[in-house]
């Protein structure tokens, strides 16, 4: 083999290696860029979902509190209504409280589900705890409805404290997930 042929072969090999490595590194750069852009999109979706959930949660807790606050005047109203309507009043009261609790809880459920879809795992766990706290808070509002002992203040205050802890845990988990910047290769 002459030196001219060897030079041509070396040049062809070098060109092929350069082309292959350019293709490989170009693909990797595009893949990494796509991963970062997806991470940024997901981060924005998470942020919107977390804020919407916290807003819905705060509204629900406020409405539960308003429902409990109605109990301050309940004794006077209940005595008058029971005299007028008889035992139907208590049944209607129980249904009314249940309807309000269900309506309030529904306002949070879709937002909870959206956060659960977006993750990550620590936020999912905090979200599940928040859902349980919401159900317990609703049960405490319903507790003793349809009786003259409504509202059950002791149970409500205990569940209200648990609900605050669950909200705080969700906020911590969400804060942790939002502080991680998207990186390629993850």
């Amino acid at each position: 083999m002459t030196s001219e042929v060897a030079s041509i072969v070396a040049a062809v090999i070098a060109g092929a290696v350069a082309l292959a490595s350019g293709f490989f590194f170009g693909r990797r750069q595009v893949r990494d860029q796509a991963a970062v852009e997806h991470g940024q999109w997901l981060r924005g979706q998470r942020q919107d979902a977390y804020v919407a959930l916290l807003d819905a949660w705060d509204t629900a807790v406020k409405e539960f509190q308003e429902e409990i606050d109605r109990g301050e005047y309940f004794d006077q109203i209940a005595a008058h209504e029971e005299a007028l309507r008889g035992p139907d009043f208590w049944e209607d009261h129980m249904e009314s409280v249940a309807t309000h609790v269900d309506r309030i809880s529904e306002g949070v459920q879709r937002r909870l589900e959206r956060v659960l879809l977006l993750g990550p795992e620590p936020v999912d766990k905090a979200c599940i705890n928040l859902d349980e706290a919401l159900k317990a808070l609703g049960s405490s509002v319903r507790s003793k409805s349809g009786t003259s002992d409504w509202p059950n203040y002791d149970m409500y205050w205990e569940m209200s404290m648990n609900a605050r802890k669950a909200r705080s845990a969700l906020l911590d988990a969400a804060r942790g997930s939002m502080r991680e910047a998207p990186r390629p290769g993850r």
Side-chain angles (χ1 to χ4, degrees), residues 19-162:
L19 184 63
S21 63
F23 177 75
F24 173 76
F25 289 118
R27 257 186 93 173
R28 182 174 178 156
Q29 181 180 4
V30 168
R31 187 177 63 236
D32 287 349
Q33 183 178 355
V36 168
E37 286 178 10
H38 175 72
Q40 289 172 339
W41 172 84
L42 183 59
R43 190 174 182 199
Q45 292 295 310
R46 285 176 174 166
Q47 182 178 8
D48 292 345
Y50 299 163
V51 169
L53 175 57
L54 290 171
D55 285 344
W57 174 264
D58 292 341
T59 300
V61 168
K62 180 182 172 208
E63 289 177 0
F64 281 144
Q65 182 63 50
E66 289 170 357
E67 188 72 21
I68 288 294
D69 288 344
R70 290 186 333 143
E72 187 175 327
Y73 309 104
F74 185 69
D75 291 340
Q76 300 158 356
I77 295 168
H80 176 71
E81 289 293 320
E82 184 179 22
L84 288 174
R85 298 174 40 206
D88 288 342
F89 166 72
W90 295 110
E91 192 173 311
D92 291 346
H93 177 260
M94 188 167 55
E95 290 176 17
S96 173
V97 170
T99 300
H100 285 135
V101 168
D102 290 345
R103 181 192 54 77
I104 292 166
S105 297
E106 285 174 9
V108 178
Q109 287 305 315
R110 279 198 186 136
R111 288 158 184 91
L112 271 167
E113 291 168 357
R114 182 172 180 221
V115 170
L116 284 169
L117 286 173
L118 294 170
E121 187 69 30
V123 175
D124 289 347
K125 290 177 182 176
C127 205
I128 289 167
N129 290 338
L130 194 72
D131 186 37
E132 291 171 0
L134 179 71
K135 290 174 183 168
L137 194 59
S139 292
S140 71
V141 173
R142 285 182 178 178
S143 177
K144 297 185 181 180
S145 64
T147 69
S148 60
D149 293 333
W150 184 84
N152 186 346
Y153 290 112
D154 293 335
M155 184 179 178
Y156 177 76
W157 291 118
E158 184 179 336
M159 295 304 110
S160 184
M161 292 299 293
N162 290 342

